[in-house]
Amino acid sequence: MVIRGDERIVACRGQSDRSSERPVRADTRFALGSVTKTFTGLLLAEMAARGEVRYDDPIDRYLPAHAVPGYPHERPITLLHLATHTSGLPRLPVGLLPAMAPRWFTSPYATFGPAHLLRALPRTPVLGTPGAQVRYSNLGCGLLGLLLANAAGQRYDDLLEARVCGPLGLVDTSCGPGREDAAGYRRGRRVPSFRLPALPGAAALRSTADDMLRYLQAHLALDAVPLSERTDAGALRTALGEVRRPRAGRRRGGTRICLGWNHRSVPAAPDPGRPAGGPAAELAADLAEEVAGRLAAELAAESVGDPVGGHGRGGPGGGTGGGAGGSADREVADEVVYHAGATRGFTTFVGFSPRAQVGLAVMAGTLPLRSRGFVQNAYDILRTLVVERRAPAD
């Protein structure tokens, strides 16, 4: 799915279920994996805009007293720390791996529920001082979803529907089953539906190309998506602007962390290996062909979180963009905001550039061995779209 200015392109390829040979359509639902974190970040920003929570609220405020992680409380973990991977919490909860073992080849996370998570939190180590360093944490973002649900007195899925998905018209985006779910595949074999009951805010959402088009449109132009009269439109529009603002940085690669999103500057020159000047439709078709070719040849790898290997190692486009304060900053004209995700049977990349008015979403029903290459490929196409939107130099 590509947005470029006024152009909207949705390219579908392959089958959503190999046994029934159902073709993939624009309303076929795919698991988003860690792209779910961008929705959780938007939910945090929306509730903060309403004054229901604050970014610097300590997590203790929304947890039972017996479920608070053990760490020096003179520098508490805050909601913002959870949203920016700076909490110091580990990647996964304590006790999750033993719970996964009996279901490793079916649905490894399905039996680890909220009660298990609350029992595990007091035994969870905090690595370093909260706010001091970016350490990617599915636990942190999943916990943020739970805390926002506690603050509102609703289940995460219901809260997201009321505050984000419903107002934006995302009719097929939810944590539960839908009307046209694609099947996920690992090494050519179908895998069970992904379930993550303890941490839905980290990786549990499913969505469609149609819904992701509306989602990206809302991020590109705050007034692009009509909102219902019952919606607090001001709070949601404020939140859509807040989520793309960098909040934390990395020392290598130039990647910065927003509320659930990654942020990078775009170099002034297009990629030398990709032709410039092609229309959005051609680029969308190219992407569909490249993705299909890669997925046909690649074996499956496993990750609950972001398949990008750049958390602390530069991320996609590493070495090509200028980091904050670097010499390349003089040549930077645009920025991209993006996230990638993977479950056992799906891979997803979503990104956009507000200034260039470009957006890209790729959803595939399998997990490639070289998932970094898959994401890098999508990121490069997004970056090319951004560069091509720039006006010619005077």
Side-chain angles (χ1 to χ4, degrees), residues 322-340:
S327 60
D329 287 349
R330 293 186 298 272
E331 301 176 355
V332 168
D334 290 296
E335 60 186 8
V336 291
V337 183
Y338 66 93
H339 210 295

Side-chain angles (χ1 to χ4, degrees), residues 57-117:
D57 281 346
I59 63 173
D60 312 34
R61 184 169 300 176
Y62 306 107
L63 280 172
H66 67 275
V68 177
Y71 63 95
H73 285 251
E74 61 269 14
R75 183 72 182 274
I77 298 174
T78 67
L79 300 183
L80 182 61
H81 292 150
L82 298 180
T84 57
H85 301 286
T86 57
S87 65
L89 292 173
R91 189 179 184 93
L92 295 172
V94 172
L96 176 58
L97 292 179
M100 290 167 55
R103 295 171 175 260
W104 185 258
F105 295 104
T106 55
S107 187
Y109 313 101
T111 61
F112 194 86
H116 297 87
L117 176 63

Side-chain angles (χ1 to χ4, degrees), residues 170-223:
L170 310 183
V171 296
D172 289 316
T173 302
S174 68
C175 297
R179 59 185 178 182
E180 186 73 23
D181 283 351
Y185 289 86
R186 175 179 182 268
R187 296 184 181 176
R189 297 182 180 181
R190 183 168 178 168
V191 296
S193 297
F194 183 73
R195 294 179 57 202
L196 193 63
L199 302 167
L205 282 179
R206 286 176 171 258
S207 190
T208 67
D210 283 341
D211 275 9
M212 294 310 294
L213 179 68
R214 292 180 66 87
Y215 187 59
L216 286 178
Q217 282 179 313
H219 284 82
L220 287 173
L222 305 186
D223 296 322

Side-chain angles (χ1 to χ4, degrees), residues 273-349:
R274 188 175 298 279
E282 291 180 7
L283 285 165
D286 287 347
L287 177 62
E289 291 295 332
E290 290 175 16
V291 168
R294 288 178 183 274
L295 296 180
E298 292 170 354
L299 298 175
E302 294 179 17
S303 174
V304 179
D306 193 332
V308 177
H311 296 290
R313 296 189 295 276
T320 58
S327 60
D329 287 349
R330 293 186 298 272
E331 301 176 355
V332 168
D334 290 296
E335 60 186 8
V336 291
V337 183
Y338 66 93
H339 210 295
T343 68
R344 277 186 158 235
F346 294 88
T347 309
T348 304
F349 175 90

